[in-house]
Amino acid sequence: MSFPPIHRVVTGHDADGQAIVISDGPLPTVAEIKAIPGTVFHEVWSTQGTPAPVDNGVDPTLGPLLLPPPKLGTRIRFVDIPPDTADFELNGAKRMKEAFAQIGDEHASTVRADSPHPLMHRTESIDYGIVIDGEMTLVLDRGEVLLKSGSVVVQRGTNHAWANRSGRPCRMLFILVDGQYEPSIARALGRRDGGGPLGS
């Protein structure tokens, strides 16, 4: 099963300040993650800074893939996630450095020998994850939650993975907002992660 392409409309202003359509069509950046076949990122938009510049600037999705949002910014993307396979469960952890390097953040992977899932990772951001079609299991250090179409996860910089145990692809929408750990959480994560950079 494959999902339909995303249709994106981007608005702007003409020289007189009138609202116009800047682009109307498919997303220019759609990329499969080579180390996790079937996982496809559909880049919708991102903003730089807060408040976000309201302008007629260039499409921010045209550069290389980046997992986290820009500093003080946001990112929105759809992700198609294939069902987990026995091979992925057994050997996926070995490919995570390559997978996260392709999306510009190889230090986001937190997978270890005792991790509950090969895709365990963390970013210093607030992420809204919305199940659009299919089922997904949110995996945390301690606990799991089954998600169905219409479920929304508010991901607050925690170590997590998305496990697809449904036997069919799942499409999720993610809205990522740059964040900063509260000092006591930052200290706890620094101790647990060996004092290295957060998210490493």
Side-chain angles (χ1 to χ4, degrees):
M1 173 192 168
S2 62
F3 295 108
I6 303 298
H7 172 223
R8 184 188 71 172
V9 177
V10 179
T11 66
H13 296 89
D14 67 14
D16 297 320
Q18 297 297 299
I20 59 172
V21 172
I22 299 292
S23 68
D24 177 0
L27 298 175
T29 302
V30 175
E32 183 172 20
I33 307 306
K34 295 177 185 143
I36 317 172
T39 298
V40 180
F41 276 38
H42 305 260
E43 299 297 290
V44 178
W45 201 255
S46 66
T47 61
Q48 302 268 346
T50 301
V54 178
D55 58 17
N56 285 345
V58 298
D59 188 330
T61 69
L62 297 178
L65 284 180
L66 293 172
L67 176 64
K71 192 67 181 163
L72 300 178
T74 66
R75 189 175 310 283
I76 179 171
R77 66 167 54 99
F78 289 87
V79 181
D80 297 339
I81 304 169
D84 289 356
T85 64
D87 174 68
F88 180 70
E89 291 282 352
L90 189 63
N91 300 307
K94 301 171 192 168
R95 302 192 297 264
M96 286 308 99
K97 187 171 185 179
E98 176 189 349
F100 282 93
Q102 184 183 345
I103 53 179
D105 195 1
E106 67 182 62
H107 297 297
S109 176
T110 59
V111 70
R112 300 184 304 222
D114 62 345
S115 290
H117 192 272
L119 261 178
M120 296 301 287
H121 66 286
R122 175 198 329 275
T123 57
E124 195 169 356
S125 58
I126 300 292
D127 306 338
Y128 308 112
I130 304 143
V131 179
I132 301 298
D133 192 339
E135 292 185 4
M136 188 62 55
T137 299
L138 169 66
V139 179
L140 300 172
D141 292 326
R142 297 178 183 165
E144 299 183 350
V145 181
L146 177 63
L147 311 168
K148 298 187 176 188
S149 180
S151 295
V152 180
V153 176
V154 179
Q155 181 66 251
R156 301 195 293 173
T158 58
N159 193 34
H160 68 286
W162 305 104
N164 186 343
R165 299 168 181 156
S166 71
R168 61 183 287 264
C170 177
R171 173 170 277 181
M172 293 187 68
L173 173 65
F174 292 95
I175 301 161
L176 297 81
V177 181
D178 184 44
Q180 183 174 0
Y181 286 113
E182 189 272 331
S184 67
I185 294 174
R187 285 191 298 274
L189 293 177
R191 284 195 299 271
R192 192 179 77 198
D193 294 343
L198 291 175
S200 64

